[in-house]
């Protein structure tokens, strides 16, 4: 493992430290900061020549700053003659902009992929893309991990009576079906539509039986929490006894945490791919660690072992 080096920007240093602790190696030393004119400066403070290097940097808030930090760190490592550079992006922002669904709009998820590749990354490691086709936007190898086992194992320990897994929309049905299989539970689907380009959705229908059952909603991320609250309210109206929620990426924009605390949801289970604002009261939110999963994947990539075998 002496040839393995892991670095981090300012997006989520706690996660990077937890990964290096799992791997029992020190975190790579680097300077990453902004000048007074908002220009970002990066300096790698140790030898990386011919080393296998990984940069852990989720695209969390401030999103654009963290993206540019990663690009500059990759460039710095490339110019320092690193042997292989893997961008570890646990949360891939702009994932919603994965297709042209309106006239004259960009495909920003593809643009970000191009930027990472041109900067000099040789590989990408991420967790639960918003859309599976994002893997195809890269011309370098991509390993997409999933938090499905981590989330489902949490609910297995609760011994929930009469569970039903609820996909929060049609697009996440496959992932919800996989969780339902793990929990030996039936599947229900929320049919909804997004209202224009604003962060607001209208719930239309529930496909499946939820009356008298304990519902567990699943999504890839929770942003403002509006869609989750609508889903929870609809499930309660349809007779669900209790409602739990889970997602991989706790974006939690604006009033999301306050909405969750005020809602009838029993518990919201998330992972720490993104740092959660601890300045808010988060009694209903359970945060599960991703470091063991990311650390094991990094170890396997470094040693040439199968990453897919982790999920078999």
């Amino acid at each position: 493992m002496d040839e393995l080096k892991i670095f981090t920007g300012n997006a989520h240093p706690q996660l990077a430290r937890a990964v290096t602790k799992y791997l029992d190696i020190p975190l790579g030393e680097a300077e990453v900061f902004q000048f007074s004119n908002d220009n970002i400066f990066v300096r790698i403070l140790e030898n990386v020549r011919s080393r296998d290097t990984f940069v852990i940097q989720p695209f969390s808030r401030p999103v654009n700053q963290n993206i540019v930090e990663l690009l500059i760190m990759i460039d710095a490592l490339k110019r320092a003659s690193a042997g292989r550079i893997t961008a570890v992006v646990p949360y891939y922002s702009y994932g919603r902009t994965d297709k042209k669904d309106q006239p004259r709009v960009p495909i920003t998820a593809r643009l970000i992929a191009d930027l990472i590749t041109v900067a000099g990354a040789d590989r990408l490691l991420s967790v639960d893309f918003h859309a599976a086709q994002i893997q195809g936007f890269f011309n370098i190898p991509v390993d997409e991990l999933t938090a499905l086992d981590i989330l489902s194992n949490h609910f297995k320990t609760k011994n929930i009576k009469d569970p039903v897994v609820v996909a929060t929309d049609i697009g996440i049905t496959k992932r919800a079906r996989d969780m339902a299989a793990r929990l030996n539970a039936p599947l229900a689907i929320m049919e909804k539509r997004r209202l224009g380009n604003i962060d607001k959705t209208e719930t239309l229908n529930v496909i499946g039986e939820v009356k008298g059952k304990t519902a567990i909603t699943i999504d890839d991320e929770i942003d403002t929490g509006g869609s989750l609250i609508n889903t929870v309210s609809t499930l309660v109206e349809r007779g669900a006894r209790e409602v739990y929620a889970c997602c991989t990426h706790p974006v939690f924009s604006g009033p999301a945490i306050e909405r969750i605390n005020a809602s009838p949801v029993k518990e919201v289970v998330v992972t720490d791919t993104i740092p959660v604002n601890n300045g808010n009261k988060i009694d209903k939110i359970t945060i599960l660690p991703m470091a063991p999963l990311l650390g094991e994947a990094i170890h396997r990539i470094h040693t040439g072992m199968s990453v897919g075998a982790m999920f078999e």
Side-chain angles (χ1 to χ4, degrees), residues 195-221:
L195 303 178
N197 293 320
I198 59 175
D199 289 325
K200 188 175 181 181
T201 59
E202 176 187 1
T203 300
L204 298 179
N205 192 23
V206 180
I207 304 170
E209 184 57 55
V210 298
K211 187 174 182 180
K213 297 181 180 293
T214 300
I216 303 171
T217 73
I218 180 171
D219 208 341
D220 62 311
E221 67 179 65

Side-chain angles (χ1 to χ4, degrees), residues 138-212:
F138 288 85
N139 293 320
I140 56 176
V142 174
D143 291 300
E144 182 188 2
L145 307 179
T146 179
L148 205 58
D149 285 333
I150 295 173
L151 296 170
S152 58
N153 287 340
H154 175 81
F155 288 109
K156 282 180 183 178
T157 63
K158 289 182 170 295
N159 296 316
I160 293 174
K161 183 181 179 182
D162 294 329
V164 56
V165 175
V166 181
T168 52
D169 60 36
I170 302 294
I172 202 167
T173 301
K174 183 180 183 301
R175 199 171 302 170
R177 187 173 65 241
D178 291 342
M179 173 171 272
R182 285 168 168 78
L183 298 178
N184 194 26
L187 175 68
I189 302 170
M190 301 296 298
E191 183 189 8
K192 66 182 184 183
R193 65 184 175 194
R194 188 162 296 279
L195 303 178
N197 293 320
I198 59 175
D199 289 325
K200 188 175 181 181
T201 59
E202 176 187 1
T203 300
L204 298 179
N205 192 23
V206 180
I207 304 170
E209 184 57 55
V210 298
K211 187 174 182 180

Side-chain angles (χ1 to χ4, degrees), residues 109-301:
R110 171 60 192 265
L111 173 62
I112 300 300
D114 289 342
L115 291 172
I116 292 171
T117 304
V118 170
D122 299 296
R123 192 178 198 96
L124 182 89
L125 175 63
S126 191
V127 183
D128 285 335
F129 285 130
H130 181 70
Q133 65 262 27
I134 292 173
Q135 288 190 40
F137 293 171
F138 288 85
N139 293 320
I140 56 176
V142 174
D143 291 300
E144 182 188 2
L145 307 179
T146 179
L148 205 58
D149 285 333
I150 295 173
L151 296 170
S152 58
N153 287 340
H154 175 81
F155 288 109
K156 282 180 183 178
T157 63
K158 289 182 170 295
N159 296 316
I160 293 174
K161 183 181 179 182
D162 294 329
V164 56
V165 175
V166 181
T168 52
D169 60 36
I170 302 294
I172 202 167
T173 301
K174 183 180 183 301
R175 199 171 302 170
R177 187 173 65 241
D178 291 342
M179 173 171 272
R182 285 168 168 78
L183 298 178
N184 194 26
L187 175 68
I189 302 170
M190 301 296 298
E191 183 189 8
K192 66 182 184 183
R193 65 184 175 194
R194 188 162 296 279
L195 303 178
N197 293 320
I198 59 175
D199 289 325
K200 188 175 181 181
T201 59
E202 176 187 1
T203 300
L204 298 179
N205 192 23
V206 180
I207 304 170
E209 184 57 55
V210 298
K211 187 174 182 180
K213 297 181 180 293
T214 300
I216 303 171
T217 73
I218 180 171
D219 208 341
D220 62 311
E221 67 179 65
I222 297 174
D223 189 1
T224 63
S227 179
L228 172 64
I229 301 310
N230 288 340
T231 297
V232 172
S233 299
T234 301
L235 291 172
V236 171
E237 290 172 4
R238 298 296 176 91
R241 185 170 57 246
E242 287 181 330
V243 181
Y244 292 82
C246 68
C247 77
T248 302
H249 309 297
V251 179
F252 292 159
S253 302
I257 293 178
E258 289 81 0
R259 285 174 169 175
I260 289 169
N261 288 333
S263 76
V265 67
K266 184 83 172 178
E267 181 186 26
V268 177
V269 184
V270 301
T271 76
D272 62 350
T273 56
I274 302 174
V276 176
N277 183 6
N278 291 324
N280 291 280
K281 187 177 180 181
I282 54 173
D283 292 341
K284 289 187 176 184
I285 300 171
T286 300
I287 305 171
L288 305 179
M290 285 295 295
L293 184 67
L294 288 168
E296 183 61 26
I298 289 171
H299 170 69
R300 286 171 177 263
I301 292 170

Side-chain angles (χ1 to χ4, degrees), residues 33-50:
F33 64 88
Q34 277 187 310
F35 289 114
S36 57
N37 62 359
D38 284 346
N39 290 359
I40 294 170
F41 176 79
V42 170
R43 183 186 177 202
I44 307 301
L45 298 177
E46 55 186 277
N47 179 28
V48 294
R49 184 176 295 274
S50 300

Side-chain angles (χ1 to χ4, degrees), residues 4-24:
L4 172 62
K5 295 289 185 181
I6 295 179
F7 296 90
T8 182
N10 294 309
H12 201 348
Q14 301 93 334
L15 178 60
R17 284 192 289 266
V19 170
T20 53
K21 183 178 180 180
Y22 173 86
L23 293 169
D24 195 25

